[in-house]
């Protein structure tokens, strides 16, 4: 009876949320009933109860150890089987979770209530979906269902996936991601959730975040990162937690004198556990010798990660999202990227990376850290410590020095863009004047490309690089403050639509999967169709504009998406991306 009283105390502590104390009571209970030889069922119950308490503390490896001991004694113990599934789900080993739930539904149907059957079916479907994501990179079904009925609370949660990429050292002791096979536009590379994400409130309508808010964001990210690292050290036997420590350690580098294993660890440390072969899902002897285990993870080390690796992107009208990512932080920047990024606004702010150009095996992968559709000087101002050396930047640097007219246009482009927030306060006459100035500048760009001897000899794609540099002139034509009136002549509308199409074509050359290009197409398409009959405008190129939008949407969101989903994505784009600059 003493043992049963102790188990009752453990149950009471569990019910009150005091899980650590409950674990201690269950441990004592197991010792007592084992000594008393009080029956296997009581020992099974003790291990199963302790496993449930470990589940509440997210100590999934310990929970799994307990349910395995219980199931060794009674392979048909239903609660232990369910708790094994929960522990494996916490460890993100979804293949085994699927196997368990299928077995439960097949072999225990007579013991299950209808409510349990429904719960298990729901859990099975969820585990199957996560298994397909992490092993096969199949996200289309989830995206299709989301865009069929958009969730008011944001996009659904997505599991991580790592495809044909590997981490290597590059020049100057940096790291980069490289393709492990030949890629075609639209091929999925990897899907990444943030290690930590925080929301920083901003004043409605503000574009600049205050210095105080940025400082607050950094400290919030730092505090969250500390908690994650501490939890990982508390659960080192959980391989997914060990992976996190290796990732954070890697993000703090590069280390000029460190061994290669520290700068460029195996992709096993970045791959979802579910996608690893069974023999690689647990800690092994070499793992325990990894430099991370001996690392201090001091305040300065974690601050280095936050300062160097934080991602910033817009949330809604009232906040900015700041987060830390693993693989995305290790991919380098280019102003002519071969990778496009889609951000899903869910709890972890999921980022989906796809090839947007053909890539050869062994070629380095790049994406744009910031808006690359602006003059070189402005691009460099986004990240003062980052000096892009891509072919486009080198060409523009040379041409700006050699062609004064181009430098003058770039300066004017930047000046116009800085003044755009005040357009709505101008008189109608002044707005029309500014609009005409934009169109004149766009024409000057084309005239320079055709007549200037330095620019004439450029290849087609190089001319598009220059056009894309001055894309802000075209963007301003879509500004509501400068847009054409509803009763404007159709010829003027068509003329401006062609200007937008030419701009998007140039942007597609630079970055085929550009979300900004898609936003421009959506804005123009919506504006023109609202003012005119679509059928009436089809012969004038509207269909080309629309099809270009569909192509970009496919590159961003996956070639296998259903057509109706792409239409919905296209229709929502101008709303989702209206904050882009």
């Amino acid at each position: 009876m003493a043992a049963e009283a102790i188990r009752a105390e453990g149950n009471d502590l569990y019910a009150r949320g005091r899980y650590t104390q409950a674990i201690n009571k269950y441990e004592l209970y197991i010792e007592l009933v084992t000594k008393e030889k009080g029956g296997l069922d009581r020992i099974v119950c003790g291990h199963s109860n302790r496993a449930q308490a470990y589940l509440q503390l997210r100590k999934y490896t310990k929970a799994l150890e307990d349910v395995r001991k219980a199931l060794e004694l009674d392979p048909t113990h239903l609660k232990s089987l369910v708790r094994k599934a929960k522990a494996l789900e916490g460890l993100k080993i979804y293949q085994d979770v699927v196997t368990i739930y299928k077995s439960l539904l097949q072999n225990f149907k007579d013991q299950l209530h209808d409510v349990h059957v429904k719960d298990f079916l729901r859990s099975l479907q969820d585990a199957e979906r996560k298994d397909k994501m992490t092993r096969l990179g199949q996200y289309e079904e989830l995206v299709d269902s989301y865009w069929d009925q958009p969730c008011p609370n944001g996009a659904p949660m997505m599991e991580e996936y790592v495809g044909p990429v590997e981490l290597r050292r590059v020049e100057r002791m940096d790291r980069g991601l490289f393709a492990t096979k030949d890629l075609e536009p639209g091929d999925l590379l990897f899907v990444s959730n943030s290690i930590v994400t925080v929301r920083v409130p901003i004043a409605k309508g503000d574009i600049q975040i205050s210095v105080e808010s940025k400082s607050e964001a950094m400290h919030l990210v730092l505090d969250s990162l500390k908690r994650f690292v501490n939890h990982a050290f508390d659960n080192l036997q959980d391989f997914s937690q060990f992976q996190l420590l290796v990732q954070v350690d890697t993000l703090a580098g590069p280390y000029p004198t460190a061994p290669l294993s520290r700068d460029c660890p195996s992709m096993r440390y970045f791959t979802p556990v579910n996608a690893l072969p069974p023999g690689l899902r647990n800690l092994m002897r070499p793992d325990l010798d990894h430099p991370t285990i001996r690392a201090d993870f001091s305040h300065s080390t974690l601050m280095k990660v936050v300062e160097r690796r934080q991602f910033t992107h817009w949330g809604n009208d009232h906040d900015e999202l700041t987060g830390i990512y693993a693989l995305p932080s290790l991919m380098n920047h280019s102003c002519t990227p071969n990778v496009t990024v889609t951000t899903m606004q869910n709890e972890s702010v999921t980022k989906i990376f796809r090839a947007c150009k053909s890539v050869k095996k062994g070629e380095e992968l790049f994406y744009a850290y910031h808006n690359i559709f602006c003059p070189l000087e402005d691009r460099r101002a986004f990240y003062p410590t980052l000096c892009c050396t891509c072919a486009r930047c080198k060409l523009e640097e040379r041409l700006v020095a050699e062609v004064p007219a181009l430098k003058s246009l770039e300066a004017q482009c930047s000046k116009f863009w800085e003044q755009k927030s005040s357009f709505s306060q101008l008189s109608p006459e002044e707005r029309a004047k500014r609009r005409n100035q934009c169109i004149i500048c766009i024409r000057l760009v084309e005239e320079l490309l055709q007549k200037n001897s330095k620019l004439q000899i450029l290849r087609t794609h190089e001319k598009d690089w220059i056009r894309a540099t001055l894309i802000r002139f075209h963007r301003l034509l879509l500004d509501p403050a400068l847009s054409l009136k509803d009763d404007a002549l159709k010829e003027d509308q068509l003329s401006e639509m062609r200007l937008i199409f030419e701009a998007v074509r140039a942007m597609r050359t630079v970055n085929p999967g550009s979300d900004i290009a898609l936003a421009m197409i959506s804005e123009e398409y919506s504006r023109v169709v609202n003012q005119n009959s679509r059928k009436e405008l089809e012969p004038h190129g509207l269909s080309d504009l629309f099809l270009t939008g569909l192509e970009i949407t496919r590159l961003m969101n996956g070639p296998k998406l259903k057509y109706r989903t792409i239409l919905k994505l296209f229709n929502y784009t101008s709303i989702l991306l209206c904050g882009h600059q």
Side-chain angles (χ1 to χ4, degrees):
M1 291 300 294
E4 293 307 316
I6 288 172
R7 183 167 74 90
E9 289 177 17
N11 291 343
D12 180 62
L13 288 166
Y14 177 89
R16 288 187 283 146
R18 297 167 68 176
Y19 305 119
T20 302
Q21 289 108 315
I23 286 168
N24 294 333
K25 292 292 182 181
Y26 292 139
E27 184 172 355
L28 181 57
Y29 173 75
I30 293 168
E31 289 177 5
L32 289 174
V33 294
T34 302
K35 288 178 181 177
E36 293 172 4
K37 298 182 180 179
L40 294 181
D41 57 332
R42 296 170 72 194
I43 299 175
V44 168
C45 181
H47 282 296
S48 189
N49 284 3
R50 189 167 66 178
Q52 180 61 27
Y54 277 130
L55 287 175
Q56 295 297 331
L57 294 173
R58 295 188 296 148
K59 294 182 178 291
Y60 301 116
T61 302
K62 286 187 174 293
L64 193 60
E65 288 173 4
D66 263 325
V67 292
R68 280 176 175 162
K69 289 176 182 176
L71 291 171
E72 283 174 5
L73 300 173
D74 182 2
T76 63
H77 190 250
L78 184 57
K79 285 186 176 180
S80 293
L81 286 168
V82 174
R83 287 163 185 171
K84 181 179 180 181
K86 296 294 183 185
L88 289 167
E89 186 176 4
L91 294 170
K92 299 182 180 292
I93 307 176
Y94 301 116
Q95 293 180 71
D96 293 353
V97 177
V98 169
T99 301
I100 291 174
Y101 278 120
K102 283 183 176 179
S103 174
L104 289 173
L105 290 166
Q106 182 177 348
N107 300 322
F108 293 83
K109 190 168 282 187
D110 295 340
Q111 302 178 38
L112 300 176
H113 297 296
D114 289 343
V115 174
H116 291 140
V117 171
K118 289 179 182 177
D119 286 345
F120 290 171
L121 279 171
R122 199 160 36 242
S123 298
L124 172 61
Q125 291 168 355
D126 186 53
E128 287 178 328
R129 180 170 54 82
K130 291 176 178 178
D131 177 44
K132 288 178 181 177
M133 285 190 228
T134 53
R135 281 196 307 117
L136 307 174
Q138 293 182 2
Y139 293 82
E140 288 78 11
E141 183 180 341
L142 186 66
V143 175
D144 274 326
S145 62
Y146 170 63
W147 285 106
D148 267 349
Q149 295 179 331
C151 176
N153 298 321
M157 288 298 296
M158 294 181 171
E159 293 297 311
E160 295 197 343
Y161 167 76
V162 174
V165 300
E166 66 179 358
L167 185 62
R168 293 188 201 167
R169 269 189 178 158
V170 294
E171 293 180 9
R172 303 183 306 278
M173 303 302 291
D174 289 332
R175 286 77 53 88
L177 290 182
F178 291 77
T180 58
K181 70 172 188 178
D182 291 347
L183 301 169
E184 294 300 320
D187 284 354
L188 182 64
L189 299 173
F190 60 94
V191 177
S192 186
N193 291 320
S194 61
I195 295 174
V196 295
T197 301
V198 300
R199 294 179 179 269
V200 184
I202 59 175
K204 187 172 183 179
D206 279 358
I207 292 178
Q208 298 296 325
I209 309 298
S210 68
V211 174
E212 292 79 8
S213 293
K214 287 184 178 179
S215 176
E216 178 190 356
M218 287 189 66
H219 283 94
L220 287 172
V221 173
L222 179 64
D223 290 343
S224 297
L225 196 56
K226 283 179 179 177
R227 286 195 297 273
F228 271 72
V229 167
N230 290 336
H231 178 74
F233 269 118
D234 288 341
N235 294 276
L236 266 184
Q237 61 272 66
D238 178 343
F239 182 62
S240 65
Q241 296 301 305
F242 183 83
Q243 284 179 313
L244 173 65
L245 292 178
V246 175
Q247 290 169 13
V248 173
D249 182 64
T250 304
L251 297 184
Y255 308 91
T257 59
L260 185 65
S261 62
R262 186 165 190 164
D263 270 348
C264 294
S266 164
M267 288 302 294
R268 171 174 173 256
Y269 296 122
F270 295 90
T271 303
V273 179
N274 186 64
L276 292 169
L280 296 178
R281 291 176 183 168
N282 300 310
L283 282 173
M284 296 184 293
R285 185 88 185 171
D287 296 326
L288 299 175
D289 294 330
H290 192 280
T292 296
I293 293 300
R294 298 189 297 275
D296 184 357
F297 281 103
S298 63
H299 178 92
S300 59
T301 299
L302 294 178
M303 180 58 84
K304 191 188 299 182
V305 174
V306 175
E307 289 174 342
R308 292 183 179 180
R309 305 294 176 179
Q310 63 176 322
F311 277 67
T312 302
H313 31 255
W314 295 104
N316 53 35
D317 287 341
H318 306 287
D319 64 23
E320 183 191 54
L321 302 172
T322 301
I324 303 291
Y325 292 78
L327 276 180
S329 296
L330 300 170
M331 189 188 298
N332 291 315
H333 165 83
S334 174
C335 290
T336 53
N338 52 19
V339 173
T340 186
V341 189
T342 305
T343 299
M344 301 295 285
Q345 297 284 8
N346 53 26
E347 186 179 333
S348 292
V349 195
T350 305
K351 289 184 177 291
I352 303 173
F353 293 77
R354 295 182 181 275
C356 63
K357 298 176 183 176
S358 295
V359 178
K360 294 294 183 184
K361 179 180 178 180
E363 190 176 334
E364 188 171 2
L365 300 166
F366 299 95
Y367 75 103
Y369 285 7
H370 51 72
N371 178 14
I372 55 175
F373 300 114
C374 56
L376 179 63
E377 188 175 331
D378 292 358
R379 297 202 300 273
R380 289 181 172 172
F382 280 112
Y383 284 85
T385 58
L386 174 71
C387 186
C388 179
T389 57
C390 72
R392 178 189 171 202
C393 287
K394 288 179 179 178
L395 176 70
E396 189 179 344
E397 191 170 32
R398 175 174 64 82
L399 291 176
V400 167
E402 295 176 353
V403 184
L406 181 59
K407 184 175 182 179
S408 174
L409 273 173
E410 288 196 354
Q412 196 167 352
C413 184
S414 298
K415 183 179 178 182
F416 264 78
W417 192 255
E418 289 170 1
Q419 297 172 342
K420 72 185 181 72
S421 59
S422 63
F423 287 164
S424 59
Q425 301 170 7
L426 301 176
S427 66
E429 294 77 15
E430 189 62 29
R431 291 186 198 181
K433 181 180 176 182
R434 292 293 177 92
R435 183 178 191 81
N436 288 334
Q437 287 174 332
C438 278
I439 293 174
I440 289 169
C441 289
I442 293 170
R443 302 296 185 200
L444 282 174
V445 174
E446 293 305 316
E447 188 175 322
L448 267 178
L449 290 171
Q450 292 172 17
K451 296 182 178 179
N452 185 280
S453 59
K454 299 281 187 183
L455 303 179
Q456 265 182 332
I457 60 174
L458 296 179
R459 290 171 290 183
T460 302
H461 71 275
E462 291 174 330
K463 290 181 179 179
D464 278 343
W465 291 352
I466 300 303
R467 291 186 180 99
T469 290
L470 298 163
I471 225 70
R472 284 174 168 175
F473 287 130
H474 300 79
R475 286 278 284 158
L476 288 172
L477 295 181
L478 297 172
D479 191 302
L482 298 186
S483 61
L484 280 170
K485 295 181 180 178
D486 292 348
D487 58 355
L489 294 175
K490 190 172 299 180
E491 290 76 13
D492 292 337
Q493 293 181 29
L494 291 171
S495 175
E496 293 199 7
M497 188 179 71
R498 292 190 187 100
L499 290 179
I500 297 298
F501 181 76
E502 287 301 313
V504 170
R505 188 187 56 75
M507 296 168 78
R508 191 174 56 181
T509 299
V510 173
N511 182 8
S514 166
D515 52 0
I516 302 179
L518 184 56
M520 286 180 63
I521 295 170
S522 298
E523 291 166 7
E524 177 66 0
Y525 179 79
S526 301
R527 181 175 69 86
V528 176
V529 170
N530 285 341
Q531 295 174 4
N532 302 273
S533 161
R534 177 175 170 178
K535 184 177 179 182
E536 187 178 5
L537 291 170
E538 283 295 338
H540 300 283
L542 185 64
S543 58
D544 290 338
L545 189 71
F546 184 65
L547 290 172
T548 301
L550 292 182
E551 177 194 341
I552 292 174
T553 311
R554 279 184 177 274
L555 285 173
M556 290 177 61
N557 297 282
K560 295 180 182 178
L561 286 181
K562 295 175 184 175
Y563 185 74
R564 73 167 189 274
T565 301
I566 289 182
L567 289 176
K568 290 191 176 188
L569 277 165
F570 181 75
N571 290 334
Y572 282 113
T573 299
S574 57
I575 300 171
L576 292 173
L577 302 176
C578 61
H580 276 292
Q581 297 182 31

